[in-house]
């Protein structure tokens, strides 16, 4: 290869495009100092791949660009082109298809430089190998500069060897050998890293195998545990059903006892009403007997004591009646709650029994259970209305008792007024001693009134006994209800647990969504951490717990940074 032409544009002092023809033979440049003779040699070295700005007599590589003068502005681009004659085809194989090679180096301020050969961008290493094969280059002894002869004479043997290699034309081979050695060392380093990566992958594979075995064992044990729990729940359900039937029978017996107590209380109220109806006749007899009390001070004292006892008994009777009303109301509410709980338990027991027969009929049975629940709600509402009517009846009875108490208080007041009148009549009778026959008649009337009063006392005692019996019956009836409430709560808990177990144990009918998911290698841990036990849910919409589509995700917020979606 031969150099035929040098073209410079914006390189150092050559601001305008300048071409230098290199003709066969000896070509020379003559000029005064500072005219740019050395810039031509530096342009040759620069286009041949010189990378040291110090060898270019500059403080930076951008200094090779024309920096401007008093009459010309600075340039931002410098370019040097060198034309080579490749008629003998001694260029490297990649560039050996053309008779003429044009090597160009272009630099932009603060952007770096680029190399081109025949318009195709190449590396600086390719340009250096091209000129090394031609026994020249940016740092070749073929380019003689000032002071280089003395450097060659005093050079070390290693430097002289380089001069001889350039003269023999094997500098390019040494460059290629050095590059090949660098590539071989890089390949060896890559092989070492590859072996490390393979060892790490093998250890990860072993760990994943262990995890897979543990996961399989966990699934097997979980299935056995679910089957055992389901069996235990079924056994508990049968026991709960038997206990519920027994509680229902006890509740019916308690209701019958409450009805009997209610009947006894109504009979006591009827007797009290009869006695209240007989009170006017007693008052008349008492008025007739009052005339006889005018001379019987002792009989008057006894009547006063009896009056105090009557008031105390009336107050005690009123208090016990109020307590009976409250107990009856509480018993009615408790009985209503027990009936509602028993009805709900019966419905849930029927639903669970149907659910255990087959998972395919779960939907139809759920619809039937819903209808039964609606019917139970209607029955509960009817029971509530009946309880409200009973409460209204009891309220009316309490009002009647209170009215009777007020009337008794009024009668006691009238008794006090009549007693004062009797005292005055007694004083008058003391002054009159000729009425023996009248006193005898009055004594007989007083004896009759006392007998009637004694009968009224016995009726009150009987009513109090009936009230105490009613309270005892109420206490006995309330105990089965409390026990039934506790059993109902325990049955509800067992029913919910059984429903959960039955819903989770239908893996054959509703396979888990994990069977349909394939995780990319390296993302298994991320999938398990993100979804966890939700991977056991099914994708079948008829499953109790299932996955479903939530849209195309257009409204979802953007992921932060360089995060990748798990999907």
């Amino acid at each position: 290869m031969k150099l035929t032409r040098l073209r410079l544009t914006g390189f150092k002092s050559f601001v305008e495009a300048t071409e230098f023809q290199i003709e066969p033979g000896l070509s020379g440049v003559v000029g005064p100092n500072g005219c740019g003779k050395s810039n031509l040699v530096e342009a040759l070295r620069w286009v041949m791949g010189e990378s040291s700005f110090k060898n270019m007599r500059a403080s930076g590589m951008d200094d090779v660009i024309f920096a401007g003068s008093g009459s010309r502005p600075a340039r931002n681009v410098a370019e040097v082109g060198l034309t080579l004659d490749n008629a003998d085809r001694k260029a490297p194989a990649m560039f050996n298809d053309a008779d003429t090679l044009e090597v160009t180096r272009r630099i932009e301020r603060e952007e770096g430089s680029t190399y081109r050969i025949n318009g195709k961008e190449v590396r600086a290493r390719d340009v250096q190998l091209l000129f090394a094969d031609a026994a020249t280059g940016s740092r070749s002894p073929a380019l003689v500069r000032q002071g280089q002869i003395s450097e060659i004479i005093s050079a070390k043997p290693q430097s002289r060897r380089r001069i001889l290699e350039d003269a023999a034309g094997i500098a390019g081979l040494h460059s290629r050998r050095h590059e090949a050695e660098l590539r071989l060392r890089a390949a060896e380093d890559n092989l070492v890293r590859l072996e490390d990566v393979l060892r790490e992958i093998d250890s990860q594979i072993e760990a994943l195998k262990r995890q897979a075995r543990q996961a399989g064992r966990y699934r097997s044990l979980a299935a056995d545990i679910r089957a055992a729990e389901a069996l235990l729940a079924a056994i508990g359900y049968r026991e709960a059903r038997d206990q519920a039937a027994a509680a229902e029978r006890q509740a019916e017996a308690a209701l019958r006892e409450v009805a009997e107590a209610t009947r006894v209380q109504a009979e006591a109220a009827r007797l009290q009403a009869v006695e209240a109806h007989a009170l006017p006749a007693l008052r008349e007899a008492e008025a007739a007997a009052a005339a006889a009390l005018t001379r019987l001070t002792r009989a008057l004292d006894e009547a006063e004591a009896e009056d105090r006892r009557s008031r105390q008994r009336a107050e005690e009777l009123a208090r016990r009646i109020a307590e009976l009303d409250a107990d009856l109301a509480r018993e009615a509410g408790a009985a209503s709650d027990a009936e509602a709980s028993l009805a709900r338990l019966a419905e849930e027991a029927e639903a669970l029994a149907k659910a255990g027969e087959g998972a395919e009929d779960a939907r139809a049975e759920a619809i039937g259970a819903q209808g039964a629940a609606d019917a139970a709600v209607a029955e509960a509402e009817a029971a509530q209305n009946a309880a409200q009517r009973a409460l209204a009846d009891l309220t009316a009875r309490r009002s009647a008792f209170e009215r009777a108490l007020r009337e008794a208080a009024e009668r006691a007041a009238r008794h006090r007024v009549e007693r004062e009148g009797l005292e005055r009549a007694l004083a008058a009778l003391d002054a009159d001693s000729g009425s023996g026959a009248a006193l005898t008649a009055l004594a007989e009337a007083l004896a009759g009134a006392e007998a009637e009063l004694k009968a009224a006392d016995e009726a009150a005692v009987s009513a109090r006994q009936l009230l105490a019996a009613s309270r005892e019956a109420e206490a006995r009836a309330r105990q089965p209800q409390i026990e039934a409430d506790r059993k109902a709560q325990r049955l509800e808990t067992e029913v919910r647990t059984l429903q959960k177990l039955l819903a989770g144990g239908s893996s054959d009918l509703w396979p888990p969504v994990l069977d349909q998911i394939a995780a990319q290698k390296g993302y298994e841990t991320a999938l398990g951490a993100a979804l966890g036990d939700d991977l056991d849910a099914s994708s079948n919409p008829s499953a109790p717990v299932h996955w479903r589509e939530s849209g195309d995700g257009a409204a979802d917020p953007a992921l932060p940074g360089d995060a990748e979606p798990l999907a």
Side-chain angles (χ1 to χ4, degrees):
M1 291 187 296
K2 297 181 180 179
L3 308 180
T4 59
R5 186 179 62 177
L6 179 65
R7 178 172 51 83
L8 303 92
T9 304
F11 184 82
K12 287 195 173 183
S13 60
F14 296 92
V15 60
E16 298 294 343
T18 303
E19 289 189 1
F20 180 73
Q21 298 292 333
I22 305 174
E23 299 294 341
L26 182 62
S27 299
V29 177
V30 180
N33 292 335
C35 67
K37 300 185 297 295
S38 299
N39 290 343
L40 293 175
V41 179
E42 291 175 354
L44 285 173
R45 296 168 64 87
W46 189 69
V47 75
M48 289 181 181
E50 179 60 55
S51 60
S52 176
F53 59 86
K54 293 181 180 179
N55 293 334
M56 302 301 296
R57 299 182 300 164
S59 61
M61 194 57 75
D62 288 344
D63 291 345
V64 301
I65 304 174
F66 178 71
S69 63
S71 59
R72 290 177 179 272
R75 294 291 185 89
N76 290 326
V77 179
E79 183 175 328
V80 176
L82 183 62
T83 304
L84 306 176
D85 184 6
N86 190 32
D88 53 358
R89 295 292 195 277
K90 292 184 178 180
M94 66 181 68
F95 309 121
N96 208 18
D97 56 349
D99 295 337
T100 303
L101 299 178
E102 184 177 0
V103 181
T104 305
R105 183 176 181 180
R106 180 185 177 90
I107 184 171
E108 296 183 9
R109 196 178 299 278
E110 298 180 358
E111 294 292 337
S113 58
T114 58
Y115 294 86
R116 293 180 182 274
I117 297 179
N118 288 343
K120 182 180 179 181
E121 187 172 347
V122 296
R123 301 177 303 168
R125 187 67 180 170
D126 298 332
V127 175
Q128 293 171 359
L129 287 175
L130 173 63
F131 288 104
D133 290 341
T136 183
S138 60
R139 299 184 183 180
S140 174
L143 294 178
V144 181
R145 65 183 184 277
Q146 184 178 3
Q148 188 173 2
I149 300 300
S150 60
E151 291 179 2
I152 293 174
I153 293 171
S154 62
K156 295 180 181 180
Q158 200 170 24
S159 300
R160 290 180 182 177
R161 179 183 176 184
R162 178 178 162 191
I163 295 172
L164 294 176
E165 289 176 352
D166 287 339
I170 61 175
L173 296 178
H174 282 286
S175 298
R176 288 185 175 87
R177 184 184 67 180
H178 178 66
E179 185 177 0
E181 290 175 351
L182 293 177
R183 291 180 179 177
L184 286 174
R185 283 195 293 270
E188 291 176 355
D189 295 340
N190 290 334
L191 288 175
V192 172
R193 288 196 296 271
L194 181 60
E195 290 177 356
D196 296 339
V197 171
L198 289 175
R199 284 195 296 270
E200 184 178 356
I201 289 175
D202 291 338
S203 62
Q204 291 179 357
I205 289 174
E206 292 298 329
L208 289 176
K209 288 181 179 178
R210 289 195 300 271
Q211 293 177 4
R213 290 193 296 270
Q214 292 175 357
R217 184 179 179 186
Y218 169 76
R219 288 179 178 275
S220 178
L221 293 176
D224 295 341
I225 290 172
R226 284 196 295 269
E229 290 177 348
L231 180 61
L232 182 62
I235 294 173
Y237 165 71
R238 292 191 185 95
E239 294 178 355
R241 184 175 57 189
D242 298 339
Q243 293 175 359
E248 185 176 1
R249 290 191 296 271
Q250 292 177 0
E252 291 177 356
L255 290 175
R256 288 193 296 271
E257 292 178 358
V258 170
E260 182 64 22
T262 304
R263 187 188 63 78
V264 171
Q265 191 272 338
E267 182 65 20
R270 186 185 66 78
L271 293 175
Q272 183 178 6
V274 170
E275 294 297 332
H277 181 72
L279 283 177
L282 294 175
R283 285 199 296 272
E284 293 177 358
E286 185 180 4
L293 294 177
T294 55
R295 300 188 61 183
L296 300 174
T297 305
R298 186 180 61 182
L300 180 60
D301 296 336
E302 292 177 354
E304 290 176 353
E306 190 65 25
D307 186 39
R308 288 194 296 272
R309 288 195 299 272
S310 297
R311 286 198 299 271
Q312 292 175 357
R313 284 196 297 271
E315 292 174 357
E316 182 180 1
L317 183 61
R319 183 173 63 256
R320 292 183 178 180
I321 289 172
E323 292 176 356
L324 180 60
D325 292 339
D327 293 338
L328 289 175
R330 184 168 58 254
E331 180 65 25
S336 177
D337 293 341
E339 290 177 357
S341 298
L342 291 173
R344 185 173 64 256
L345 286 174
E347 294 167 3
E348 292 178 353
E350 292 177 0
L352 287 175
K354 294 179 181 179
E357 294 176 359
E360 297 179 353
D361 300 334
R363 185 177 184 88
E365 294 174 358
I367 296 174
Q370 182 178 3
D374 295 337
V377 170
E379 293 177 0
E381 291 178 352
Q384 182 180 5
N385 295 332
Q388 290 178 352
R389 288 193 298 271
L391 180 62
D393 295 337
L394 291 175
T395 304
R397 293 176 181 177
R398 184 177 62 184
S399 300
F401 287 150
E402 292 175 352
R403 185 168 57 254
L405 289 175
R406 288 195 299 272
E407 291 176 357
E410 292 174 358
R411 286 195 301 273
R414 286 196 299 271
H415 288 168
R416 286 193 296 271
V417 174
E418 290 174 356
R419 184 183 62 189
E420 294 175 356
L422 289 175
E423 291 175 351
R424 290 193 297 272
L426 179 60
L429 287 175
D430 290 337
D432 188 6
S433 59
S435 56
L439 289 175
T440 302
L442 289 175
E444 294 176 355
L446 179 60
E450 289 178 352
E452 293 178 356
L453 183 59
K454 184 177 180 181
D457 291 340
E458 292 176 355
V461 170
S462 177
R464 283 195 295 271
Q465 293 176 353
L466 290 175
L467 180 60
S470 299
R471 288 177 179 175
E472 293 177 358
E474 179 187 2
R476 289 193 301 271
R478 187 182 296 112
Q479 185 64 29
Q481 178 190 353
I482 295 173
E483 184 66 24
D485 290 339
R486 286 199 297 267
K487 292 181 180 179
Q489 293 176 359
R490 185 171 63 254
L491 289 175
E492 289 178 356
T493 304
E494 293 177 356
V495 166
R496 287 194 296 269
T497 304
L498 184 58
Q499 288 177 346
K500 185 181 298 183
L501 291 174
L502 292 176
S506 58
S507 58
D508 295 334
L509 182 60
W510 296 307
V513 74
L514 180 61
D515 297 343
Q516 305 175 14
I517 294 179
Q520 190 175 353
K521 187 176 182 181
Y523 286 85
E524 298 86 355
T525 304
L527 179 64
L531 300 182
D533 293 338
D534 292 340
L535 291 172
D536 293 335
S538 176
S539 59
N540 191 341
S542 62
V545 181
H546 62 271
W547 288 81
R548 63 182 179 86
E549 292 289 339
S550 60
D552 56 357
D556 294 342
L559 293 176
D562 56 350
E564 297 180 5
L566 183 59

